[in-house]
Amino acid sequence: MKKQSIHGGEARIGYILIAPFLIMFAVFKLYPMLYGIAVGFWDRNSEMKLMDTTFVGFDNYLAVLRNASFWEAFGHSVVYSVIYIAFLMAAGFIVAVLLNRKFTGRTAVRTCFYIPYVTNMIAVGIVFKYLLNPSRGPVNAIFRLFGADGPGWLSSPVMALPTAAVIAGWAALAFNVITCLAALQDIPTDMYEVADIEGAGFWQKIRYIVLPYLTPTLFMLLTITLINSFRNYTAIAGLTGGGPGTSSKVVSLLIYDDAFNFMKFSIASAEGVIFTLFIIIVNRLFTKARSVWESR
Amino acid sequence: MGKQMNVKKTVFTAVMWILALMMLYPFIMMIAISFRPSGQAYQPLFSPGIIHTLRNYNQVLGHPNFLDWYRNTVVTVVVTIMIRLVITLLAAYAFSRLRFKGKGVILAFLVATMMVPGETTMVPRYLYFREIGILNTLWSIVLPEASEVFYLILLIEFFRSIPGDFTEAATIDGAGHPTILLRIFIPLSGPAIATTVLFSFINIWNNYLDPYLFINNIETQLITPALQFFQEQGGANMPVQMAGSSLALIPVIILFVFTQKYFVQGVASSGIKG
């Protein structure tokens, strides 16, 4: 029993080395995730019951599923994610193709495209609320130059959510651009030379060389962008605060409001759990779709 | 033919530079307006008669807690990065170089948890941190941030790219795993460690939701969520908000411009291998 094989020793050292990380992860990351499921089964729906552990079964979960504001916020989250993903995937690819061509000052131009990525959304929100101010901001001043009034942007019920999604996409652009650029640089140059000899134009090169080469990268980016699209609290809080009215109130804002303004901690926990399940299902479906596409 | 190509190239270069300026435009406006009196906040960038003043910066720097926010942020960033580096380097070495039961399952599970956003777990995190008594302290940011799976994957990928010959030679010389990690892996991992430090710095500096949730006293707050105090206090005073934002962004932008290489490497490697 006590034989200390090289293998046994290796495994023991392995467990010792991963222990600090795993313990920190279990205590401060994993446990709170699971705790949320439990809170959803308890009755902590007022300030006095902050520590209550009365079991109420599925009451909170059912209440959430029957709540119209939850489904409204759910719809807003989906719309936000779709616009955010579409914008980032398209803009990331196009900008990467442009930045891959040689021109004077390319390095500096690339830096300019990356800077928004390292800035925080609260500061970005302050600036964009200024730029997009419907009556006094410089963006609508351009519209007035052409005699139009310009949209209400962040203060219009219709435009607020898409505008916020695009601004958040703008701020996240560098990640998609850098990833696409790295993949573009991996395309062997002789592919382009052959294409030039055969007289292929720019669009044909994109269609027959670039896109096939980039498909795995784009799928991977789509996965990451999808996951990031649900991390939207700061962008929405910084840009619209969920308004005007509730027109841009996404699930993360609803959770915050229900918990910290209305003190319905169990309801808010249940909302988080249900939305997490939705995210997991979407990811599963996407992974399925991806494997079907790849084995085509 | 040649001339036409040249014109095309010049136009392309010009368009790219214009796009680059458009990307920077919000930050140019932010800095420009931070030097204006509030009455001139909405005048165009190059309009005549603009007065420049340092009053807004004086007001921001004169906030009784401004230096606290800066110091808190720096302390949080430094302490988190130190704990994160130690525990992540150890784990990454084990995951990339050692054989033990359950390795694949544990790693797959850790990666799967990456899809759960902090947004959906904010309530249980708040309640739990309250129960264990770390609410309103910087520990409520440091401890959960210490174990980030993203950096574990980043370092595992880097360690896997170190050729086996290095370790084999050391093993023959009788070196144990601690020696191999300290003497071979860590010295070779300069770029990966630099990327980890840079990313950590940027992410923790810009973190809004967690400090906003977990820290409720003004003197313990971090710089990014603290920007809201200028929105509340300054009311419609745009230039003061812009000055506060500039002071929050400038350290990160300067750091980024000088370390861009590691940033690009980090994104490219974390991206491609998924």
Side-chain angles (χ1 to χ4, degrees):
Chain A
M1 279 308 256
K2 260 191 92 178
K3 74 169 176 195
Q4 261 276 17
S5 72
I6 297 168
H7 250 110
E10 188 175 320
R12 207 191 52 196
I13 293 171
Y15 292 129
I16 292 171
L17 291 182
I18 62 171
F21 187 96
L22 284 190
I23 291 169
M24 292 296 281
F25 183 84
V27 174
F28 295 105
K29 285 232 190 298
L30 183 61
Y31 180 78
M33 284 182 201
L34 303 174
Y35 189 52
I37 303 174
V39 174
F41 284 113
W42 295 335
D43 179 20
R44 293 190 177 181
N45 287 324
S46 72
E47 203 167 359
M48 268 98 74
K49 295 194 223 157
L50 196 63
M51 296 290 148
D52 198 306
T53 52
T54 315
F55 184 77
V56 294
F58 283 94
D59 284 5
N60 293 310
Y61 291 97
L62 291 173
V64 170
L65 292 174
R66 285 197 205 101
N67 184 356
S69 345
F70 174 74
W71 292 109
E72 189 200 356
F74 186 91
H76 292 159
S77 281
V78 172
V79 170
Y80 175 93
S81 287
V82 168
I83 295 169
Y84 176 88
I85 294 166
F87 173 82
L88 258 183
M89 291 307 292
F93 176 75
I94 294 165
V95 171
V97 169
L98 295 176
L99 288 177
N100 196 36
R101 300 177 67 151
K102 283 200 176 68
F103 60 92
T104 320
R106 184 171 71 172
T107 316
V109 169
R110 280 184 182 173
T111 306
C112 297
F113 273 89
Y114 300 160
I115 280 178
Y117 190 75
V118 300
T119 61
N120 75 67
M121 275 309 295
I122 298 304
V124 164
I126 290 171
V127 181
F128 271 94
K129 278 189 275 191
Y130 166 87
L131 297 176
L132 297 177
N133 185 303
S135 52
R136 299 198 286 167
V139 172
N140 275 8
I142 298 171
F143 278 84
R144 269 191 298 281
L145 225 55
F146 295 99
D149 256 350
W153 304 113
L154 296 166
S155 41
S156 134
V158 183
M159 292 287 291
L161 191 59
T163 308
V166 170
I167 294 171
W170 168 85
L173 189 63
F175 187 89
N176 289 48
V177 171
I178 293 171
T179 311
C180 283
L181 261 178
L184 285 172
Q185 280 153 6
D186 280 349
I187 300 177
T189 43
D190 42 337
M191 295 285 283
Y192 292 119
E193 281 157 23
V194 172
D196 279 334
I197 292 165
E198 306 230 327
F202 175 74
W203 294 111
Q204 281 170 310
K205 281 185 214 163
I206 295 277
R207 169 81 180 75
Y208 295 106
I209 303 174
V210 174
L211 276 178
Y213 247 94
L214 252 63
T215 306
T217 307
L218 290 175
F219 264 126
M220 183 276 304
L221 265 181
L222 193 53
T223 316
I224 295 176
T225 311
L226 174 72
I227 291 171
N228 286 338
S229 75
F230 298 115
R231 300 179 200 277
N232 53 17
Y233 183 85
T234 309
I236 294 289
L239 288 165
T240 70
T246 57
S247 60
S248 63
K249 192 172 181 181
V250 291
V251 172
S252 55
L253 258 82
L254 181 77
I255 294 174
Y256 182 89
D257 249 12
D258 282 347
F260 301 107
N261 291 333
F262 302 114
M263 303 297 163
K264 292 191 282 185
F265 293 100
S266 288
I267 290 283
S269 271
E271 284 163 351
V273 171
I274 292 170
F275 201 68
T276 305
L277 280 179
F278 168 74
I279 293 172
I280 293 171
I281 292 168
V282 171
N283 270 295
R284 282 251 138 228
L285 289 176
F286 176 72
T287 314
K288 270 256 162 66
R290 179 178 171 176
S291 65
V292 169
W293 168 276
E294 275 166 356
S295 63
R296 220 174 24 133
Chain B
M1 187 68 187
K3 211 167 196 174
Q4 201 188 343
M5 283 290 277
N6 258 334
V7 172
K8 247 184 158 176
K9 217 172 166 159
T10 313
V11 170
F12 180 76
T13 307
V15 168
M16 291 313 288
W17 275 97
I18 292 167
L19 285 175
L21 279 180
M22 281 171 68
M23 291 299 280
L24 290 191
Y25 175 70
F27 305 111
I28 296 168
M29 287 306 279
M30 183 177 83
I31 290 165
I33 288 152
S34 70
F35 289 107
R36 291 182 183 183
S38 61
Q40 294 188 327
Y42 283 94
Q43 295 203 17
L45 189 54
F46 297 112
S47 52
I50 293 282
I51 303 160
H52 295 282
T53 167
L54 286 172
R55 207 193 312 153
N56 308 309
Y57 284 95
N58 282 335
Q59 193 176 331
V60 170
L61 293 168
H63 190 288
N65 297 110
F66 188 81
L67 291 178
D68 291 335
W69 303 332
Y70 239 84
R71 195 195 50 230
N72 293 337
T73 310
V74 172
V75 168
T76 307
V77 166
V78 171
V79 175
T80 308
I81 289 177
M82 287 195 310
I83 302 177
R84 177 181 282 175
L85 266 183
V86 172
I87 66 174
T88 313
L89 280 168
L90 294 177
Y93 178 81
F95 278 118
S96 60
R97 286 290 149 140
L98 303 176
R99 272 165 300 182
F100 51 90
K101 233 187 248 161
K103 185 168 95 170
V105 179
I106 296 171
L107 203 53
F109 179 76
L110 290 176
V111 171
T113 62
M114 285 172 83
M115 75 173 127
V116 180
E119 268 80 350
T120 59
T121 58
M122 65 169 109
V123 181
R125 286 189 295 147
Y126 173 86
L127 294 172
Y128 174 55
F129 293 166
R130 191 188 162 97
E131 281 164 43
I132 60 176
I134 58 172
L135 226 54
N136 292 325
T137 70
L138 296 180
W139 293 114
S140 66
I141 312 300
V142 172
L143 296 174
E145 284 280 344
S147 57
E148 276 292 340
V149 181
F150 173 82
Y151 300 94
L152 180 66
I153 305 299
L154 192 86
L155 289 172
I156 289 176
E157 290 295 344
F158 191 84
F159 282 177
R160 279 187 183 148
S161 71
I162 294 176
D165 315 9
F166 282 104
T167 38
E168 260 158 48
T171 319
I172 292 163
D173 289 344
H177 290 293
T179 320
I180 294 176
L181 176 61
L182 276 175
R183 293 276 170 77
I184 300 176
F185 274 66
I186 292 179
L188 284 173
S189 314
I193 292 173
T195 303
T196 306
V197 171
L198 178 65
F199 265 69
S200 302
F201 184 97
I202 292 168
N203 285 334
I204 301 163
W205 191 280
N206 290 337
N207 193 350
Y208 172 75
L209 178 58
D210 287 7
Y212 178 64
L213 283 174
F214 304 142
I215 296 174
N216 284 315
N217 36 5
I218 194 164
E219 68 275 8
T220 320
Q221 196 49 278
L222 306 185
I223 187 76
T224 298
L227 289 177
Q228 74 201 353
F229 295 124
F230 295 116
Q231 285 179 298
E232 287 158 11
Q233 182 204 41
N237 194 341
M238 258 309 160
V240 172
Q241 294 184 38
M242 299 288 188
S245 303
S246 302
L247 288 174
L249 291 189
I250 282 164
V252 189
I253 292 181
I254 290 175
L255 176 80
F256 169 73
V257 169
F258 286 107
T259 53
Q260 206 193 124
K261 193 181 90 185
Y262 296 113
F263 174 80
V264 173
Q265 272 176 5
V267 170
S269 64
S270 71
I272 282 173
K273 282 137 192 164

